[in-house]
Amino acid sequence: MEYTELSAYDVPPGEVTAWMPTAEPSAWVDDERRMSHNHELHLDTAEAGSWIGSIMRLRGQLDTEALGLALRAWIGRHEALRGTVEETAAGRRRRAVAAADVSVTTTVLGRFDGEDARGCLSDFLADHIDPSAWPYVVFATVADADGFTLVFGADHGVMDAYSQLLWFEEIASLYERALAGEPFAELAAATTGSHIDHAAEERVTGEAMSLESESVQAWREWLTGPDGRLRFADFPVTGITDVPASAEPLPQASMSQWLGDPRQARVLGELCKSAGVSFQAGMMGAMAYVLRAQHGVERMRFVAPMHTRYTAEHAAAVGWYVGLVPITLDITGAQTLPEVAARVQAALAAAKPLVPQPFARVADLLGVDDAPHFVVTFVDTRFISGAERWNEWDARTLRAPVRADDEVYLWLVRDRDGLNVSTRYPETVAAERVVRDLIGGMSGLLEEIAQPETAELEGTA
């Protein structure tokens, strides 16, 4: 599975149709459940046109009635997609609409060749995703004689990466069931917990926090720079975020690269197991190992998003189930990859208790208005429902283009097809060189440890 921008997806030529969820104003009712601090911060800071989503291709002629039922049912099954937040004189108010009251309207946008079809999709998603206005998710199709491409874009406030990945199997199954004649009531029956309930519980956790809370103190210490300011740590290689001052931030470059095949992933897994560390620690350890080899970096700090899907009922729900933790990694004296990975494991373990403590509440208490500069995420997608069919569906998770002068994001993925890294970074010559060298170094390291002569898995010095 690759996580890229839409510009990297091969959209076929065909008829592009927009599919927009709608509901009558009279159908909305007040919902007393409170928003999470994270959602409030998102509403305060997110910009219209920023979205995440997924895209896939389904074979067979598009059945518009069946797809309409499937899209309505998917929204109906997940409360996060059919709730909204309204600004009132008394503050923000959550409102909701019943599954049966959501409709989906279609508008044919035109027939285009592949490049123009992709541009049409990109413009449509950017123009119709707004964190302050429902619907928080919109869809589009590109239909031709052999099948159709289906894409959605959603506000990040109601969706995380797991939600993007879970969508493929769920929507394909709903479409197949709709084609078979199942009624809407059965298709829309909820099978997961509600993220709105999860958010209300997270609100309680956040309100119990104070300046004296251990989590807040830990973040304060991590954020405090030499000058006493509270600021997120930068990418540890100097120069790549030093860009000329401009009226607005530079566009971020985006890249996805396969680091290793399934055999190399398996060898790394055995290496991690023998060292008593997680695969996540092994992947992040490979990153740190290469940064030191190439740039002499032995101490680095980054933010690691981790999931908050703690109960089975929320495992397959759509929503923002993410906590941020601050990682401080010192690999001084650690010579081999297993030794470096052990340092990562210890750093992750030290930070893990902070996952349930919403960072948005930390930011509120400390008065932090900065955003993360260096973020490293790890996701294992092998066991997500439907993963065995992703290649058949040409499935891809997507993110919208971003502007930022000082952000470097790495998404490390273990997939059935091997190991992948997706990244975005400042669109500068220096950043391009550093990031490409890092990815090339990680790929070379994984190839090295998988060679027959390193079968004893001692790692590299």
Side-chain angles (χ1 to χ4, degrees):
M1 175 56 64
E2 294 188 71
Y3 184 38
T4 66
E5 295 182 9
L6 183 58
S7 58
Y9 192 86
D10 187 16
V11 177
E15 183 176 81
V16 179
T17 301
W19 301 68
M20 291 286 295
T22 63
E24 293 295 330
S26 60
W28 292 91
V29 297
D30 291 347
D31 187 332
E32 298 303 320
R33 288 171 292 182
R34 302 184 67 191
M35 287 184 293
S36 67
H37 289 93
N38 285 329
H39 195 178
E40 284 192 337
L41 179 61
H42 179 74
L43 291 173
D44 289 339
T45 59
E47 297 181 356
S50 177
W51 55 271
I52 61 173
S54 297
I55 192 167
M56 67 191 304
R57 180 164 177 79
L58 295 173
R59 312 303 169 184
Q61 186 175 10
L62 170 61
D63 185 312
T64 57
E65 182 177 353
L67 183 60
L69 278 175
L71 298 178
R72 287 182 59 214
W74 184 60
I75 294 171
R77 289 155 67 96
H78 300 287
E79 278 196 316
L81 303 178
R82 52 183 175 84
T84 190
V85 176
E86 293 185 351
E87 298 283 352
T88 72
R92 288 172 175 149
R93 175 180 62 176
R94 186 187 288 283
R95 307 203 80 201
V97 65
D101 290 327
V102 175
S103 300
V104 175
T105 63
T106 60
T107 303
V108 175
L109 301 180
R111 182 172 291 276
F112 304 94
D113 63 21
E115 184 175 350
D116 288 341
R118 183 170 52 230
C120 180
L121 294 178
S122 181
D123 291 343
F124 167 71
L125 295 173
D127 291 344
H128 290 86
I129 300 298
D130 186 338
S132 64
W134 191 86
Y136 296 133
V137 59
V138 298
F139 313 89
T141 53
V142 183
D144 56 42
D146 299 323
F148 64 97
T149 299
L150 173 64
V151 61
F152 82 83
D155 173 42
H156 215 332
V158 299
M159 183 168 295
D160 59 14
Y162 278 104
S163 302
Q164 292 175 265
L165 293 163
L166 291 163
W167 175 77
F168 299 113
E169 168 69 16
E170 187 171 9
I171 200 65
S173 174
L174 288 170
Y175 180 58
E176 291 167 1
R177 290 166 60 188
L179 285 172
E182 280 196 45
F184 174 77
E186 293 181 13
L187 296 174
T191 59
T192 70
S194 167
H195 178 262
I196 294 179
D197 289 337
H198 174 84
E201 293 170 2
E202 190 179 84
R203 181 80 190 196
V204 174
T205 299
E207 289 192 336
M209 296 164 62
S210 69
L211 285 171
E212 287 69 44
S213 298
E214 290 185 13
S215 58
V216 179
Q217 294 293 334
W219 271 108
R220 186 204 296 272
E221 180 180 355
W222 190 89
L223 289 164
T224 302
D227 59 0
R229 290 192 304 151
L230 299 180
R231 187 180 182 277
F232 281 95
D234 287 317
F235 187 73
V237 179
T238 59
I240 73 169
T241 58
D242 295 339
V243 299
S246 60
E248 61 179 342
L250 292 175
Q252 288 249 296
S254 176
M255 179 166 48
S256 172
Q257 183 74 41
W258 289 97
L259 297 172
D261 59 25
R263 183 182 70 88
Q264 291 167 323
R266 185 171 60 254
V267 172
L268 178 60
E270 293 169 356
L271 176 62
C272 292
K273 183 177 181 180
S274 68
V277 302
S278 67
F279 198 91
Q280 177 184 22
M283 286 287 281
M284 292 183 175
M287 175 197 71
Y289 187 98
V290 173
L291 282 173
R292 180 177 63 184
Q294 294 180 343
H295 302 283
V297 176
E298 294 199 315
R299 192 174 189 275
M300 64 197 74
R301 295 186 299 142
F302 56 88
V303 172
M306 297 185 184
H307 79 82
T308 57
R309 296 171 181 266
Y310 299 129
T311 62
E313 67 175 330
H314 291 283
V318 169
W320 177 253
Y321 293 88
V322 179
L324 302 182
V325 296
I327 302 296
T328 299
L329 180 60
D330 189 338
I331 61 172
T332 304
Q335 297 301 313
T336 65
L337 178 57
E339 291 173 345
V340 171
R343 299 285 182 90
V344 177
Q345 181 82 4
L348 292 171
K352 193 170 184 178
L354 302 184
V355 178
Q357 313 296 310
F359 176 75
R361 177 61 170 156
V362 174
D364 180 45
L365 289 166
L366 295 178
V368 176
D369 58 5
D370 195 22
H373 304 156
F374 182 28
V375 178
V376 185
T377 300
F378 171 76
V379 181
D380 188 337
T381 69
R382 293 172 298 158
F383 307 110
I384 292 177
S385 181
E388 71 281 359
R389 300 182 66 188
W390 287 347
N391 288 337
E392 171 193 341
W393 291 329
D394 297 328
R396 185 79 60 87
T397 50
L398 302 172
R399 61 179 182 270
V402 174
R403 286 182 173 270
D405 290 341
D406 57 1
E407 295 179 4
V408 177
Y409 276 60
L410 297 174
W411 291 270
L412 306 171
V413 178
R414 185 176 189 182
D415 184 79
R416 286 169 172 257
D417 293 330
L419 305 174
N420 180 268
V421 59
S422 176
T423 183
R424 64 174 177 86
Y425 50 91
E427 197 172 55
T428 65
V429 173
E432 181 82 12
R433 182 177 63 251
V434 168
V435 172
R436 286 193 178 275
D437 286 349
L438 170 60
I439 292 174
M442 291 177 68
S443 181
L445 176 62
L446 294 171
E447 183 177 357
E448 181 181 347
I449 67 172
Q451 294 302 314
E453 58 267 26
T454 60
E456 295 184 0
L457 304 177
E458 291 299 325
T460 53

